[in-house]
Amino acid sequence: ARVHALQAFITTDDGTNLLAGYKRAANILKKEESSAPAQAGAVADVAPPSPSLRPAPEHSDVSITPEPADTALFAALDAAEPAAATAVAAEDFTGAMAALASLRSPIDAFFDGVMVNDPDPAVRAFRLGLLTRFRDAVNSIADFSKIEG
């Protein structure tokens, strides 16, 4: 049932565009995760450790002023993650895909409206955290990294 729902979803505009957003987020995170250990080791004596790519959902330790695109993606994730989890638990995979579809516009607006690799380390960590949440929310339904397109 999950495979059929995924196949039907990926053929829609929302599915195609969400897959593109997922791949963009995953590529940014992969690059960041592969370079983080080298960077942390190189600056260990002069700087605190790199911020986690998985900050707490409320980001209470980050004092930044989010852009509207940050706030919109944050709110969309807050709504989509529990909706998708509830749908998966009920084996309602079409409902889970609908929850993911609600992330399409916010992730597109996020990529259009902000610079993820902001020079401010706190802003960068916050945005990487949002992308991590987005990637994980999508992967909780299906491993989109295995989908070609």
Side-chain angles (χ1 to χ4, degrees), residues 9 22 39-40 59 65 82-83 105 145:
F9 178 64
Y22 169 85
Q39 289 175 355
H59 300 284
T65 302
S105 291
S145 69

Side-chain angles (χ1 to χ4, degrees), residues 28-142:
I28 290 169
L29 291 170
K30 183 178 178 180
K31 182 177 178 185
E32 183 68 23
E33 290 165 348
S34 69
S35 68
Q39 289 175 355
V43 296
D45 295 333
V46 294
S50 306
S52 170
L53 294 183
R54 193 181 296 277
E58 64 278 356
H59 300 284
S60 59
D61 59 332
V62 178
S63 57
I64 68 164
T65 302
E67 296 290 329
D70 295 318
T71 304
L73 180 57
F74 191 89
L77 286 164
D78 281 350
E81 287 169 324
T86 300
V88 168
E91 296 188 15
D92 174 12
F93 301 113
T94 301
M97 297 301 157
L100 287 184
S102 71
L103 296 173
R104 176 199 171 180
S105 291
I107 195 67
D108 289 347
F110 179 80
F111 283 128
D112 289 342
V114 302
M115 180 173 58
V116 175
N117 291 322
D118 193 273
D120 180 334
V123 173
R124 180 182 176 131
F126 178 79
R127 291 182 178 151
L128 290 170
L130 286 174
L131 289 182
T132 300
R133 281 186 66 196
F134 170 73
R135 178 192 62 192
D136 293 349
V138 172
N139 281 339
S140 72
I141 308 302

